[in-house]
């Protein structure tokens, strides 16, 4: 997982911090736009959107990467007899590192906009643990199936993108008309 991240940003000046910059740009840009569209104060919407986008990115990346676990590891699987779940664990670890980069950004944004992080937020650690277990299971199941049926990664990617707009990450549930 560490090697995946370092190889991805091998000749970059700021390396894996591009992950953090991308998350900050996404949250600030969409936060500004949607706060104006929905007529919600920027700080209030930024808190909501940043705290929703953090787990959503984590989940969606594990789902989409889980589909390509076996396909991306084809060379390793053909040359060395390694168990396929090992590559699912690698994918989960890599996405967990990306999640930690994004967590730093979200916590920084929350502190900058004078939002106090309540102690009860520690409960979110249990949710992250559940995400890790589910991501491993999804990679273990979807990886081999997607290697056999190559349309599955495209279908899953499309569904994940659609679900972003259907779930209350971009909008608040209270905005729905009764």
């Amino acid at each position: 997982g560490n090697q995946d991240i370092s190889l991805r940003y091998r000749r970059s000046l700021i390396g894996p911090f591009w992950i953090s910059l991308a998350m900050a740009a996404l949250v600030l840009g969409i936060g500004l736009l949607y706060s104006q569209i929905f007529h919600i104060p920027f700080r209030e919407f930024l808190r909501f959107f940043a705290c929703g986008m953090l787990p959503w990115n984590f989940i969606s990346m594990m789902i989409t990467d889980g589909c390509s676990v076996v396909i991306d590891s084809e060379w390793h699987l053909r040359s060395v007899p390694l168990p396929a779940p090992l590559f699912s664990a690698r994918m989960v670890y890599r996405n967990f590192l990306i999640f930690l980069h994004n967590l730093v950004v979200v916590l920084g944004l929350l502190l900058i906009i004078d939002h106090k992080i309540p102690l009860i937020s520690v409960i979110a650690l249990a949710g992250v643990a559940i995400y890790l277990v589910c991501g491993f299971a999804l990679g273990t199941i979807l990886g081999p199936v997607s290697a056999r049926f190559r349309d599955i990664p495209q279908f899953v990617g499309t569904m994940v993108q659609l679900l972003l707009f259907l779930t209350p990450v971009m909008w608040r549930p209270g905005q729905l008309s009764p």
Side-chain angles (χ1 to χ4, degrees), residues 57-66 91-92 95 131-132 135:
N57 271 351
F58 188 39
I59 294 167
S60 65
M61 286 185 345
M62 282 200 296
I63 293 170
T64 54
D65 286 356
M91 175 272 302
V92 168
N95 284 310
Y131 289 166
L132 292 170

Side-chain angles (χ1 to χ4, degrees), residues 28-167:
L28 289 171
I30 291 179
L32 182 62
L33 175 67
Y34 276 60
S35 68
Q36 298 301 310
I37 291 172
F38 294 142
H39 305 291
I40 299 172
F42 175 67
R43 288 178 181 218
E44 183 181 331
F45 186 76
L46 186 68
R47 267 185 263 140
F48 170 78
F49 182 63
C51 291
M53 203 61 189
L54 178 66
W56 178 260
N57 271 351
F58 188 39
I59 294 167
S60 65
M61 286 185 345
M62 282 200 296
I63 293 170
T64 54
D65 286 356
C67 288
S68 61
V69 163
V70 172
I71 296 167
D72 292 346
S73 304
E74 179 182 4
W75 183 83
H76 295 292
L77 290 169
R78 289 185 190 272
S79 63
V80 181
L82 294 171
L86 178 69
F87 297 102
S88 293
R90 174 182 166 189
M91 175 272 302
V92 168
Y93 179 69
R94 177 181 63 238
N95 284 310
F96 181 65
L97 290 176
I98 293 170
F99 170 78
L100 291 176
H101 276 93
N102 291 338
L103 178 64
V104 170
V105 170
V106 169
L107 290 176
L109 286 174
L110 291 177
L111 292 174
I112 287 171
I113 62 171
D114 298 329
H115 180 71
K116 291 165 182 53
I117 301 168
L119 189 58
I120 198 158
S121 299
V122 175
I123 293 175
L125 295 175
V128 171
I130 291 170
Y131 289 166
L132 292 170
V133 171
C134 290
F136 178 77
L138 282 169
T140 304
I141 294 167
L142 287 175
V145 173
S146 296
R148 173 67 177 103
F149 303 103
R150 296 292 175 113
D151 292 329
I152 290 178
Q154 283 77 22
F155 176 77
V156 168
T158 302
M159 289 296 107
V160 167
Q161 190 174 19
L162 177 65
L163 286 173
L164 172 65
F165 295 103
L166 295 178
T167 57

Side-chain angles (χ1 to χ4, degrees), residues 11-39:
R11 293 187 178 157
S12 169
L13 290 177
I14 61 174
F17 292 104
W18 276 111
I19 298 167
S20 304
L21 288 175
M23 179 67 163
L26 176 77
V27 168
L28 289 171
I30 291 179
L32 182 62
L33 175 67
Y34 276 60
S35 68
Q36 298 301 310
I37 291 172
F38 294 142
H39 305 291

